[in-house]
Amino acid sequence: MSIDKDTAARVAKLARIKVEEDALPALAEEFNTILGFIEQLNEVDVDGVEPMTSVTPQKLKRRVDEVTDGDQQDKALSNAPDAREGFFAVPKVVE
């Protein structure tokens, strides 16, 4: 696939980037370089390669799933400027 000057201008317009007319050939060439690199990546044989989330093997730290004292509603609402019926009261934003 090859990008010409008109396609580069259209991409710049869609991206809302102001590109001067004399800079369009260089932009088109840069797009072509990027597409060439992508074509090289498509040639790589990745059959049997497991997907990775990181280049170094990492495991997430796990914590013990323990039940804690979560019944602290009064303590949490004590800092609220306005609390009603066990909830934080906030001003109406949408009419």
Side-chain angles (χ1 to χ4, degrees), residues 2 6 16 35 37 40 46 48 55 67 70 88 91 93:
S2 180
D6 294 333
R16 298 179 190 255
L35 290 174
F37 181 68
Q40 284 180 351
V46 293
V55 294
V67 176
F88 289 96
V93 178

Side-chain angles (χ1 to χ4, degrees), residues 34-87:
I34 293 169
L35 290 174
F37 181 68
I38 292 171
E39 287 176 4
Q40 284 180 351
L41 290 176
N42 285 334
E43 294 173 4
V44 175
D45 181 23
V46 293
D47 290 336
V49 178
E50 292 289 324
M52 301 183 346
T53 57
S54 175
V55 294
T56 57
Q58 297 178 5
K59 292 198 175 200
L60 293 175
K61 294 180 182 176
R62 301 197 181 262
R63 62 176 172 81
V64 179
D65 190 15
E66 296 175 346
V67 176
T68 59
D69 184 22
D71 189 26
Q72 299 182 12
Q73 181 180 15
D74 294 334
K75 190 175 178 183
L77 292 175
S78 67
N79 293 324
D82 188 11
R84 298 181 196 153
E85 300 175 16
F87 297 98

Side-chain angles (χ1 to χ4, degrees), residues 13-35:
K13 181 180 178 186
L14 290 172
R16 298 179 190 255
I17 299 171
K18 183 178 180 181
V19 178
E20 300 297 330
E21 188 71 28
D22 58 339
L24 285 174
L27 181 62
E29 185 60 35
E30 190 170 344
F31 284 152
N32 285 323
T33 303
I34 293 169
L35 290 174

